Amino acid sequence: GAGVSQSPRYKVAKRGQDVALRCDPISGHVSLFWYQQALGQGPEFLTYFQNEAQLDKSGLPSDRFFAERPEGSVSTLKIQRTQQEDSAVYLCASSWALVGIYNEQFFGPGTRLTVL
Amino acid sequence: DQQVKQNSPSLSVQEGRISILNCDYTNSMFDYFLWYKKYPAEGPTFLISISSIKDKNEDGRFTVFLNKSAKHLSLHIVPSQPGDSAVYFCAASASGYSGAGSYQLTFGKGTKLSVIP
């Protein structure tokens, strides 16, 4: 398909485990965003990449959260030593827009993380 | 401190009638606004957007109105159809706000629309 894909769709982790969530953006999209959506809330910004450069990570809640996009396409969000409060849906979005141009972001289906 | 507010958690409308979903924002730096629709177990799907230089944008059955002085926008769906039943999110962004030039979206909590056949 031509949309944003994410894997796994569901992840259950024991508290203290490390997890890695993958995002495949739409081909050719230079901008990639990660959002966290808690139950009953809207998505909240975590971090932003333009190609391989991480230009904004102001939304990452702690230093346990780390994101990378080494070749400017696929991105991985890693959470170390998971805590129960990390339980949420993690959404990835991509956009063709460069800085200075407005454009809608296209979202993937999300990864639902449950930390026991 | 919510910068984007959707004060109605839910809305029920009869099929064929107009649905009006409302959104208020507090950050005067926001200059681009979007509406997304979300079905269960799926990611948000883009519906329609408007920049702050306009006060109305229309796309088929969907129209978004922006009142900058009131910091208010609304989404009108006419006529409403059962397939429109979903959660609708209002989102906003500010150019250059972060300094890095990212266009992170700030979302409201969503309004669940139910269209009754």
Side-chain angles (χ1 to χ4, degrees), chain A residues 34-51:
Chain A
W34 283 98
Y35 293 84
Q36 180 190 59
Q37 185 176 17
L39 193 62
Q41 304 294 314
E44 292 192 1
F45 170 78
L46 292 177
T47 187
Y48 162 67
F49 290 86
Q50 185 171 302
N51 296 307

Side-chain angles (χ1 to χ4, degrees), chain A residues 103-107, chain B residues 32-38 43-50 57 59 62 89 105:
Chain A
N103 188 253
E104 63 267 24
Q105 296 176 19
F106 295 87
F107 283 81
Chain B
Y32 187 57
F33 305 90
L34 308 90
W35 284 93
Y36 282 84
K37 173 180 177 180
K38 187 181 183 306
T45 302
F46 170 76
L47 265 181
I48 193 169
S49 62
I50 189 167
N57 189 26
D59 184 1
F62 302 91
F89 288 99
L105 298 178

Side-chain angles (χ1 to χ4, degrees), chain A residues 2 12 15 18 28 30 33-35 41 43 46-47 60 66 68 72 82 89-90 92 112-113 115:
Chain A
V12 178
R15 189 162 56 94
D18 297 349
V30 298
F33 301 79
W34 283 98
Y35 293 84
Q41 304 294 314
L46 292 177
T47 187
L60 296 177
F66 172 77
E68 60 183 5
T82 52
V89 175
Y90 291 85
C92 175
R112 179 176 294 278
L113 173 65
V115 182

